[in-house]
Amino acid sequence: MSKSAVKKIQAIRGMNDLLPTDSPRWQFFEAKVRQLMLRYGFNEIRTPIVEQTALFARSIGEVTDIVEKEMYTFDDRNSESLTLRPEGTASCVRAAMEHGLLYNQTQRLWYQGPMFRYERPQKGRYRQFHQIGVETFGFDGPDIDAEVILLSARLWQELGLMEHVTLELNSLGSSEARAAYRDTLVAYFEQHREVLDEDSKRRLTSNPLRILDSKNPAMAEMLDAAPQLMDHLDAESRQHFEQLTQMLEAVGISYVINPRLVRGLDYYCRTVFEWTTNALGSQGTVCAGGRYDGLVEQLGGKPTPAVGFAMGIERLILLLETLKLFPEDIGGCDVFVLPMDDDATTAAITLAEQLRSELPELRLQLHCGGGSFKSRMKKADKSDASMAVLLGEDEIAAQSATLKFLRDDREQQRVPLATLASTLRELLATTT
Ligand code: ATP
Ligand code: MG
């Protein structure tokens, strides 16, 4: 076969490479999150990317979008049905139960990693995407609902996003209250059958609450007038919700109550919330979560109250980029060390290692790969470094280096090797 006939293998549709030009922004975001989790007393849990299919079918719910049409499910060589995880909560619950983490104790956990859903790829919607999530177990009061919402709010504050996102809140009540409401709602939809689209007609018997979530403009008016779950809450759920909103108000977090917020997954009860933005078009939800007190029991454990959320990293990165909220200086390089010719290579390597030992925070790139002096200088210029440290025959003989400023027209200067580290430290402290 001729070379040109070989078909190039490409990445799978909807699954993205993260390129070196993008990764500094991801790392910046992830570092903020990691630090925040420590500050709020959450511990990381890592679970496998693949689980038994039954785990997701049983937890997320058979009649949800995810289980009906979005899962990557396959038989392994042993004919066992496995699924690439579409979300993190089910795996988290499975792992916590399996390792006795829920036995007579509370947990505040967080996770991070790729999720897989067979969706139509578009901006902010991919087939492999990444979430960071928190899950708490063993707390039944509204204080923990507030705590996880406040954690997310602090993240938006620290990223400069707070004024660009809205907290939407609702309560789904107890499962009994929801069942009663479901009947009321179905009766209402039956009266307006002619307005329902095909999807909604199908959901009328399988998952009528999800109809409220529809974005179909033709149904908007009918949905706005539908009976509201908020008016059908059981007394305890109502109190839980009122206490939560009081706590949020006390800390100064504003919210809007969205009676149509029902969330796509079956396992939620009481508090549900989403952080949404107008800056990303229709993919506007950046973080979503709520309470799921029934899930642990549903998966075979003891009844355990639980609250959590998941945020979509791609959407948040996109939002931060759109709003130009990333600091300019992330992921760059401070100093470029450059042997002026091949004879200076060893001296330059030695110097670079010395500087890295003396200045552990310094981002130093050593020129490798030879080339003419001119091409070496070009590489220094192309790096983000603000300074180049040049070593040639003269410098080596004089136990010094030439310090060249790459981003302004300050005069270059000779610096003795003995004081180079402290000179760099001072210069960098004044430029940043
Ligand atoms: P949507 O209504 O946008 O489909 P969802 O309700 O399916 O979202 P969740 O399961 O709650 O989403 O996941 C939490 C978050 O993960 C979402 O708010 C979003 O930010 C992100 N997310 C979900 N699906 C995708 C996807 N296919 N690509 C990128 N991010 C996603
Ligand atoms: Mg979805």
Side-chain angles (χ1 to χ4, degrees):
M1 212 189 320
S2 79
K3 215 173 171 187
S4 61
V6 179
K7 197 166 177 250
K8 272 212 203 96
I9 297 175
Q10 293 192 313
I12 295 165
R13 196 165 118 83
M15 303 203 180
N16 301 314
D17 297 306
L18 184 64
L19 299 180
T21 39
D22 301 323
S23 56
R25 289 193 291 281
W26 280 62
Q27 288 172 350
F28 172 84
F29 178 79
E30 289 163 356
K32 281 255 185 255
V33 171
R34 211 166 297 130
Q35 194 187 25
L36 195 69
M37 295 300 173
L38 273 174
R39 292 170 67 194
Y40 277 75
F42 283 69
N43 298 308
E44 188 181 5
I45 184 166
R46 301 189 188 191
T47 63
I49 284 170
V50 190
E51 299 271 359
Q52 290 184 26
T53 301
L55 174 66
F56 302 115
R58 232 186 272 167
S59 59
I60 296 170
E62 299 278 1
V63 292
T64 54
D65 283 352
I66 293 182
V67 174
E68 274 185 340
K69 52 188 189 205
E70 295 176 0
M71 293 208 302
Y72 277 92
T73 297
F74 60 97
D75 285 350
D76 75 355
R77 289 172 191 276
N78 206 17
S79 303
E80 197 177 356
S81 179
L82 304 182
T83 293
L84 299 185
R85 63 179 184 199
E87 52 107 52
T89 303
S91 311
C92 222
V93 170
R94 194 238 350 108
M97 280 166 51
E98 192 167 327
H99 301 284
L101 304 188
L102 306 181
Y103 191 74
N104 282 341
Q105 54 191 315
T106 56
Q107 292 289 345
R108 300 163 166 241
L109 307 175
W110 74 278
Y111 63 83
Q112 156 176 39
M115 306 294 160
F116 302 84
R117 296 185 196 175
Y118 195 83
E119 301 202 68
R120 195 170 68 79
Q122 53 196 291
K123 191 176 163 204
R125 192 175 292 283
Y126 311 100
R127 290 181 173 175
Q128 175 176 325
F129 62 101
H130 297 77
Q131 285 183 337
I132 291 175
V134 312
E135 314 290 356
T136 67
F137 299 101
F139 306 95
D140 56 11
D143 48 355
I144 194 74
D145 304 33
E147 181 85 335
V148 302
I149 290 174
L150 292 172
L151 182 154
S152 55
R154 189 176 292 275
L155 183 62
W156 317 142
Q157 269 153 7
E158 301 215 332
L159 293 167
L161 280 177
M162 201 48 161
E163 55 185 299
H164 305 281
V165 292
T166 303
L167 173 61
E168 299 186 23
L169 274 185
N170 194 17
S171 175
L172 300 181
S174 65
S175 54
E176 296 78 23
R178 204 154 66 249
Y181 170 68
R182 185 189 151 116
D183 294 341
T184 314
L185 193 64
V186 170
Y188 173 81
F189 286 146
E190 293 286 6
Q191 281 168 12
H192 297 87
R193 222 188 153 82
E194 72 289 350
V195 197
L196 295 180
D197 56 20
E198 282 313 306
D199 245 7
S200 303
K201 279 187 186 134
R202 199 168 43 83
R203 286 184 172 140
L204 199 51
T205 44
S206 62
N207 197 350
L209 261 66
R210 274 287 269 162
I211 300 176
L212 293 173
D213 213 16
S214 165
K215 312 248 164 13
N216 183 349
M219 291 174 26
E221 201 181 324
M222 182 273 294
L223 291 177
D224 282 337
Q228 295 189 357
L229 188 45
M230 236 348 139
D231 301 326
H232 292 76
L233 289 188
D234 50 295
E236 276 180 33
S237 296
R238 175 174 306 285
Q239 196 191 19
H240 186 101
F241 191 71
E242 277 165 11
Q243 286 172 342
L244 169 63
T245 53
Q246 275 164 19
M247 290 170 194
L248 294 176
E249 281 160 27
V251 192
I253 299 294
S254 30
Y255 58 87
V256 297
I257 294 178
N258 175 357
R260 277 170 52 187
L261 182 64
V262 292
R263 307 287 303 117
L265 317 183
D266 265 3
Y267 50 58
Y268 287 107
C269 63
R270 291 200 174 157
T271 312
V272 286
F273 67 93
E274 287 191 357
W275 287 97
T276 57
T277 175
N278 292 324
L280 290 180
S282 54
Q283 266 56 256
T285 303
V286 291
C287 176
R291 182 168 277 281
Y292 52 97
D293 293 345
L295 181 59
V296 175
E297 192 178 14
Q298 199 175 309
L299 290 174
K302 282 209 293 194
T304 308
V307 184
F309 69 69
M311 54 182 133
I313 306 186
E314 280 84 355
R315 287 186 198 177
L316 283 161
I317 301 273
L318 207 58
L319 184 59
L320 290 164
E321 279 168 356
T322 308
L323 300 169
K324 304 205 178 349
L325 288 173
F326 280 112
E328 273 181 22
D329 185 37
I330 48 177
C333 162
D334 302 312
V335 169
F336 197 90
V337 172
L338 190 159
M340 293 162 79
D341 53 38
D342 288 347
D343 291 339
T345 304
T346 305
I349 287 187
T350 313
L351 176 62
E353 282 304 290
Q354 226 166 29
L355 291 173
R356 285 169 177 145
S357 298
E358 284 182 61
L359 303 171
E361 303 287 310
L362 183 71
R363 298 171 302 177
L364 182 156
Q365 200 175 320
L366 172 72
H367 171 81
C368 291
S372 66
F373 179 67
K374 203 170 148 200
S375 76
R376 294 175 193 218
M377 277 312 295
K378 255 195 194 150
K379 285 197 180 141
D381 257 334
K382 265 188 90 173
S383 77
D384 309 316
S386 56
M387 290 176 271
V389 170
L390 277 57
L391 273 189
E393 202 183 335
D394 290 355
E395 284 82 359
I396 293 170
Q399 287 287 303
S400 64
T402 296
L403 191 58
K404 201 169 157 52
F405 297 94
L406 298 170
R407 313 294 159 202
D408 53 53
D409 30 272
R410 261 180 287 175
E411 277 292 305
Q412 64 179 47
Q413 61 190 69
R414 270 292 179 89
V415 182
L417 294 183
T419 55
L420 183 57
S422 56
T423 305
L424 289 176
R425 186 188 291 124
E426 277 166 30
L427 284 168
L428 288 166
T430 51
T431 49
T432 50

